[in-house]
Amino acid sequence: MEHRSLFEPTTLGSITLKNRIVMPPLTRQRSGQPGDIPTALMARYYQQRASAGLIISEGTQIEPRGKGYAWTPGIYNQAQIDGWRTVTDAVHAEGGVIYAQLWHVGRVSHNALQPHNAAPIAPSAIQAQKAKAFIETNPGTGTLVTPSMPRELSVSEIKTLVELYAQAARNALSAGFDGIEIHSANGYLVNQFISTHANQRTDEYGGSLHNRLRFLREVVQAVSAVAGPERVGVRFSPLFTSTDEDRVYIGFVEEDPHQTYIEAIKVLERAGIGYLSIAEADWPNAPDLPDAFRREVRSTFSGRIIYAGLYTAARAAGLVEAGLADLVAFGRPFIANPDLPERIANGWPLNALDAAGLYGGKEQGFIDYPRYSPSTSDVKQEVTV
């Protein structure tokens, strides 16, 4: 077996994970329409990848206003809960573990995606820059658009949003998920409250870093009260540098990202949640996270730590062996290789990614990637995300 450290079992709360390889949240835009309902096709997709130690679902919006991209699934009504139940049942039938990622895009949306064509909601009325929403133009077709100008939330509305996260957690457990991940990365709603780039409030939710972390604290507490903190994870994207690339989303580079995110991680540590997931910069030639930050993350947080980025299997194993990570997530390779853990363990080559099939559509580029079939011409190659 290659990269043996990735295949040592570990625990996540009361759950034993069979390996350290994670399938991270991957937006695929294939929910059933109308209604943004998870489908049997989605169940097949996740079931194919149940050999991961942990699957984290694609982001699923906690309410209609949380939607920033056409055809993404929700988890706020019974039809959606029932749809997700087909997914979790399929994964569990193969011995897999699956968490639901709770998602609210906040200002990274468009009037066309909002109920009654209203303005998106946000901590402050600041339009998102270097970000895109995706709207449907005709059935099955759509286009990327600049997010609309948002409106600022009132304090009472913020309190209601916290309860919407708690209700979404209840819905996820009802749908059979093993736990909850709170999406707090990539410039979406929770991240917007944390960042000075999006939050210019002067009340208890803005100004100081302590105040800007208040929404995160309240959401983590509310979701933990529903699921139990050991079944809760949070995802951050602590960027230390930016890029001029035209990207759908990227997130924020804070004035002091080290301090900002170490303080945010202290919130999670005090809450006693099960894991912290860190999404690293994933554009070509992106710099690595500073070693000092990785070390302080480990010394600050006592739960499980997941990293995701441009990892080779060897580099992922090295991070685990160094004690800096407990699990490592591989995104694009898991899209193209439903049997990714087996391929890593045996050094088998990877299927090529069908970029045209990433977002929207049906079976092509979704459930039609083959499992590995041995042949004498195979050449080993590194696994990257």
Side-chain angles (χ1 to χ4, degrees):
M1 177 183 291
E2 298 196 5
H3 312 298
R4 187 172 298 275
S5 62
L6 296 180
F7 295 91
E8 296 171 354
T10 189
T11 56
L12 185 59
S14 62
I15 299 172
T16 298
L17 307 181
K18 56 197 169 190
N19 59 54
R20 310 295 184 101
I21 298 168
V22 176
M23 178 179 168
L26 298 162
T27 296
R28 304 306 307 274
Q29 293 177 273
R30 283 173 167 85
S31 65
Q33 302 302 316
D36 298 332
I37 300 168
T39 65
L41 188 69
M42 290 169 58
R44 177 62 178 153
Y45 162 75
Y46 283 105
Q47 185 179 48
Q48 288 175 339
R49 290 154 180 81
S51 60
L54 172 65
I55 294 173
I56 305 164
S57 81
E58 63 206 272
T60 183
Q61 50 256 12
I62 67 168
E63 62 148 332
R65 297 178 302 174
K67 182 177 178 179
Y69 309 90
W71 319 319
T72 54
I75 196 162
Y76 52 84
N77 64 37
Q78 191 60 50
Q80 294 164 349
I81 294 168
D82 293 344
W84 278 120
R85 171 61 77 170
T86 67
V87 173
T88 62
D89 283 351
V91 170
H92 292 151
E94 296 298 321
V97 176
I98 183 167
Y99 274 44
Q101 190 193 60
L102 304 185
W103 189 24
H104 198 303
V105 302
R107 69 179 192 167
V108 188
S109 187
H110 189 273
N111 301 94
L113 296 165
Q114 294 291 307
H116 312 296
N117 297 111
I121 57 175
S124 299
I126 303 170
Q127 191 171 15
Q129 304 295 322
K130 294 186 177 180
K132 299 290 185 183
F134 183 89
I135 63 172
E136 184 179 75
T137 52
N138 287 295
T141 61
T143 187
L144 292 168
V145 292
T146 299
S148 302
M149 175 64 75
R151 68 170 182 85
E152 182 174 306
L153 288 157
S154 69
V155 170
S156 64
E157 288 178 310
I158 294 170
K159 301 297 185 183
T160 299
L161 275 166
V162 172
E163 176 50 36
L164 287 175
Y165 273 96
Q167 184 58 52
R170 294 184 194 100
N171 295 347
L173 297 181
S174 177
F177 283 100
D178 299 295
I180 311 296
E181 179 175 287
I182 302 166
H183 195 346
S184 306
N186 303 121
Y188 297 123
L189 183 63
V190 179
N191 197 184
Q192 289 160 32
F193 273 93
I194 294 170
S195 178
T196 57
H197 297 292
N199 183 350
Q200 296 181 5
R201 302 177 70 93
T202 57
D203 59 17
E204 63 264 42
Y205 289 94
S208 68
L209 178 56
H210 178 80
N211 282 1
R212 286 183 279 115
L213 291 172
R214 186 181 304 277
F215 186 65
L216 171 69
R217 283 196 301 274
E218 292 181 352
V219 170
V220 168
Q221 289 166 1
V223 172
S224 295
V226 170
E230 73 283 354
R231 299 173 73 186
V232 175
V234 171
R235 188 175 224 210
F236 291 139
S237 53
L239 299 178
F240 282 71
T241 186
S242 189
T243 176
D244 292 329
E245 291 183 21
D246 184 17
R247 297 168 60 83
V248 174
Y249 68 87
I250 181 171
F252 306 111
V253 181
E254 305 303 328
E255 183 176 349
D256 188 344
H258 184 112
Q259 181 196 16
T260 298
Y261 282 98
I262 292 301
E263 290 302 313
I265 291 167
K266 289 177 181 177
V267 170
L268 313 186
E269 176 66 12
R270 286 190 288 269
I273 71 165
Y275 76 79
L276 160 68
S277 177
I278 293 181
E280 301 182 43
D282 65 351
W283 56 86
N285 302 313
D288 195 12
L289 280 176
D291 288 341
F293 179 73
R294 290 188 195 275
R295 290 193 298 271
E296 192 161 357
V297 169
R298 175 53 88 187
S299 66
T300 301
F301 187 70
S302 60
R304 300 304 183 199
I305 298 173
I306 304 171
Y307 281 98
L310 292 172
Y311 279 92
T312 63
R315 182 165 168 253
L319 205 62
V320 171
E321 290 158 13
L324 295 173
D326 299 292
L327 303 106
V328 180
F330 299 86
R332 297 179 188 92
F334 242 131
I335 291 175
N337 299 273
D339 54 344
L340 183 64
E342 293 90 337
R343 292 180 187 246
I344 292 175
N346 293 284
W348 293 335
L350 303 183
N351 296 323
L353 183 70
D354 174 15
L358 283 175
Y359 305 110
K362 296 184 179 179
E363 292 87 352
Q364 185 175 353
F366 193 52
I367 63 165
D368 60 344
Y369 287 105
R371 299 178 66 84
Y372 178 72
S373 179
S375 73
T376 57
S377 62
D378 291 329
V379 178
K380 293 179 181 179
Q381 67 183 55
E382 282 284 15
V383 179
T384 59
V385 63

